[in-house]
């Protein structure tokens, strides 16, 4: 699935629709350059999980937990994490939390820890805004994407 958004609000609204569909143990990886809209999308996802508070890039904190009314969401940002340092973070704890979904910005460094079945989103700058390419890597993520596309 490929979507182009013209404004941050459109990216958030797409995230909100995705966030409403997520369940515990779902993993969403957000790839893309600086400023491509990963945190903007994550804000929407948190809103869709029923979280009313502020969502910021956890670049300096590494991970944040949003306790949404509907679902808890772990928000990770591995921008500052080197490929060899992931063992220290306990990424597994965030990913294997049955009560929470997990959304990860700059997911490259943690690749070894993610479940096979996950949703990948690649965000990029285009002249009209941002392009978001969604890819499902398993049965559950295909179901998710199918439901998102149907909306
Ligand atoms: N269509 C769009 N979707 C999302 N953001 C957009 C769009 N058009 C413009 N923007 C702007 O692009 C910026 C995206 O910032 P955001 O923090 O979401 O990016 P990021 O991918 O998380 O960056 P970083 O790698 O630094 O964490 C914001 O300033 C936002 O206002
Ligand atoms: Mg960000």
């Amino acid at each position: 699935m490929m979507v182009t958004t013209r404004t941050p609000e459109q990216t958030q609204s797409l995230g909100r629709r995705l966030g409403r569909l997520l369940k515990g143990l779902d993993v969403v990886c957000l790839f893309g350059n600086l400023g491509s809209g990963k945190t903007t999308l994550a804000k929407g996802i948190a809103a869709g999980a029923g979280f009313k508070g502020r969502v910021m890039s956890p670049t300096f904190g590494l991970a944040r937990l949003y306790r949404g009314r509907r679902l808890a969401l772990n928000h990770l940002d591995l921008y500052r994490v080197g490929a060899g340092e992931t063992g220290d973070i306990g990424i597994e704890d965030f990913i294997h939390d049955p009560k929470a979904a997990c959304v990860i910005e700059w997911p490259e460094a943690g690749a070894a820890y993610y479940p096979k079945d996950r949703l990948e989103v690649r965000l990029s700058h285009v002249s009209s805004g941002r392009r978001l390419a969604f890819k499902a890597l398993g049965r559950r993520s295909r179901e998710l994407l199918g439901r998102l596309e149907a909306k």
Side-chain angles (χ1 to χ4, degrees), residues 41-137:
L41 188 69
K43 270 183 196 167
I45 293 173
F51 181 70
K52 310 276 186 211
R54 224 154 78 101
V55 171
M56 294 176 306
S57 196
T59 297
F60 299 99
L62 228 50
R64 295 164 59 91
L65 171 66
Y66 309 125
R67 297 179 191 280
R69 280 170 59 95
R70 198 186 64 75
L71 177 72
L73 182 71
N74 283 303
H75 182 190
L76 273 63
D77 186 324
L78 305 183
Y79 183 61
R80 283 166 195 283
V81 179
E85 301 166 359
T86 47
D88 313 331
I89 307 171
I91 292 181
E92 300 98 317
D93 298 342
F94 298 109
I95 289 171
H96 295 141
D97 178 352
K99 290 205 188 70
C102 190
V103 53
I104 308 154
E105 298 187 43
W106 295 102
E108 288 85 347
Y113 298 94
Y114 308 142
K116 273 202 192 118
D117 192 346
R118 62 186 186 269
L119 191 63
E120 293 191 341
V121 189
R122 289 189 167 70
L123 298 95
S124 53
H125 293 71
V126 292
S127 55
S128 51
R130 300 289 185 275
R131 175 160 299 158
L132 297 91
F134 290 78
K135 187 176 171 192
L137 295 186

